[in-house]
Amino acid sequence: MGRRGPYICGIDAGMDVVAGKWKSLILWELNNYGTRRFGELRRGLPGVSEKMLVQQLREMEEDGLVHREIYREVPPRVEYSLTPDGTSLNEALGALGTWGQQRVERLAAEGILVEVSPTA
Amino acid sequence: MGRRGPYICGIDAGMDVVAGKWKSLILWELNNYGTRRFGELRRGLPGVSEKMLVQQLREMEEDGLVHREIYREVPPRVEYSLTPDGTSLNEALGALGTWGQQRVERLAAEGILVEVSPTA
DNA sequence: TGCGGTACTCACCTGGAGGTAAGTATGGGC
DNA sequence: GCCCATACTTACCTCCAGGTGAGTACCGCA
């Protein structure tokens, strides 16, 4: 979870909530699909361990970014989606995504960057 | 320094370069003042150690975000400033800053957040 | 009977980010 | 002669984010 302040500025507070190896990617994934099951998220994020996925999702839930809907069925079904706060955070990260994309292209053009994952 | 890919998406690449406890704040500081000496940055970032400041500045220089100008004087003078890439990164983080600011205000209104640094 | 799939929890371990404190060369002011 | 300020470097240590692998409860299917 976030430190919950005191923060030096808004960027500080924003970064605090997105810090965590998978959080920005979870945001991106949930924003693209609207609603995703735990297993779908796991398969969509190459390299995540189950432990980390649960952990990051729980923290994001506590931070009010994602909504968790449990369906009491067998086998169990749990669906994750973005809250309004999560959606707006994702929008706020849009510019950073564009910047990163351009950087990747620039580095690739200079032959510095080896490759980009096909998902990009 | 950044991993230099492969990245999953642009946000992934962008986050990679801003990851580091002080980088977004250095960006902010340099953008506000245009040019800052090492000591000014240290005093402007409450809590940084000299080691960390140097380290993060060096990484940002390698990543092409900041420019380092050395004046061979005694006592030594070194001035840091943002490169065009650094400036555009800072702009890309603007939306995140606004989001964070609003979040802080929302949490404060709910009495969850204790306080905000006066620099905010 | 036992294996696979669901969404987890738990215990353990490691690497590296980040912190602490000291050392360095130089000259100016007292 | 000594201390201060500049911008660092170096060695050492701690802590925790993140990874690994196993275990859990339930059911369907073969």
Side-chain angles (χ1 to χ4, degrees), chain A residues 14-63:
Chain A
M15 288 296 299
D16 187 32
V17 128
V18 212
K21 196 168 175 181
W22 305 98
K23 292 190 181 173
S24 60
L25 300 178
I26 291 174
L27 234 35
W28 170 262
E29 189 85 0
L30 286 183
N31 190 69
N32 278 359
Y33 293 91
T35 275
R36 295 230 95 182
R37 299 184 55 173
F38 182 83
E40 292 174 329
L41 279 173
R42 176 162 40 83
R43 285 185 291 271
L45 304 175
V48 219
S49 65
E50 299 193 337
K51 178 197 130 188
M52 281 311 298
L53 225 207
V54 178
Q55 200 175 101
Q56 308 261 309
L57 282 170
R58 288 294 135 82
E59 290 183 8
M60 294 173 78
E61 199 188 348
E62 276 191 77
D63 283 335

Side-chain angles (χ1 to χ4, degrees), chain B residues 12-85:
Chain B
D12 191 16
M15 287 296 299
D16 187 31
V17 129
V18 216
K21 194 168 177 183
W22 307 98
K23 293 191 180 172
S24 59
L25 301 178
I26 291 173
L27 235 35
W28 170 262
E29 189 83 0
L30 287 182
N31 189 71
N32 278 0
Y33 291 92
T35 276
R36 295 231 96 182
R37 298 183 56 173
F38 181 83
E40 292 175 330
L41 279 173
R42 176 163 39 84
R43 285 186 290 270
L45 303 175
V48 219
S49 64
E50 299 192 338
K51 179 196 131 189
M52 282 311 297
L53 224 205
V54 177
Q55 199 175 102
Q56 309 261 309
L57 283 169
R58 288 295 134 81
E59 290 183 8
M60 293 173 78
E61 199 188 348
E62 277 191 76
D63 283 337
L65 304 177
V66 314
H67 172 70
R68 183 160 168 257
E69 190 74 37
I70 307 156
Y71 297 87
R72 303 221 160 277
E73 307 171 355
V74 167
R77 184 159 62 101
V78 178
E79 290 186 348
Y80 293 91
S81 55
L82 290 185
T83 61
D85 276 14

